[in-house]
Amino acid sequence: MERQKLRNLRGLVNISLLSMVFGAILNLLGDLLGNNYVLVIGFLVVLITFYCYRRADSEAASSMAYYLWRYLPTLIFVAMPIFIYWISSDAQWSLSEIVLLTQIATSYVLPIMCLLYVERVLKNAQQ
């Protein structure tokens, strides 16, 4: 595949990842905070994620720094809130909580992980 096409595909994957992280933040924090706060936090998260992705792009795809910069935003902004929610609930989970967690996993976590894998393969092909 030609280099420009690989670059365009990586750009599309990055846009998809940023929108998935933004949507996850809006979904996870929407009920807890007011809409204005969630939008501000969401935009800050997208900016931080964009910065981390840019830093990852400057690294080789096989280096540890690449993985750190690429996966750090997902771990901090998506996985950590889910994990904290999971361990903070001492009582047995209700059906609505299980459905919510399943919805978040299938709507955000799984697609983000798949897109991160596709981006890594495209970066390896580009080098």
Side-chain angles (χ1 to χ4, degrees), residues 9-70:
L9 289 173
R10 285 188 65 225
L12 289 172
V13 168
N14 284 331
I15 290 170
S16 299
L17 282 166
L18 288 172
S19 67
M20 293 294 293
V21 170
F22 184 68
I25 292 299
L26 292 178
N27 190 24
L28 292 172
L29 297 178
D31 294 334
L32 299 176
L33 304 172
N35 290 336
N36 294 335
Y37 293 120
V38 172
L39 286 175
V40 170
I41 290 170
F43 283 122
L44 288 175
V45 166
V46 166
L47 290 176
I48 292 168
T49 303
F50 181 74
Y51 172 76
C52 289
Y53 286 0
R54 288 307 231 174
R55 290 290 306 258
D57 285 343
S58 66
E59 303 290 336
S62 60
S63 72
M64 184 63 153
Y66 171 80
Y67 290 110
L68 177 70
W69 284 112
R70 185 51 96 170

Side-chain angles (χ1 to χ4, degrees), residues 89-98:
S89 178
D90 292 335
Q92 189 171 8
W93 285 23
S94 69
L95 183 59
S96 63
E97 289 174 327
I98 293 171

Side-chain angles (χ1 to χ4, degrees), residues 5 50 110 114 120:
K5 193 170 193 177
F50 181 74
L110 183 62
C114 291
R120 189 185 80 203

Side-chain angles (χ1 to χ4, degrees), residues 76-103:
I76 291 174
F77 301 126
V78 178
M80 193 165 55
I82 293 171
F83 181 73
I84 290 171
Y85 179 76
W86 183 337
I87 64 170
S88 68
S89 178
D90 292 335
Q92 189 171 8
W93 285 23
S94 69
L95 183 59
S96 63
E97 289 174 327
I98 293 171
V99 169
L100 176 66
L101 193 61
T102 304
Q103 178 187 11

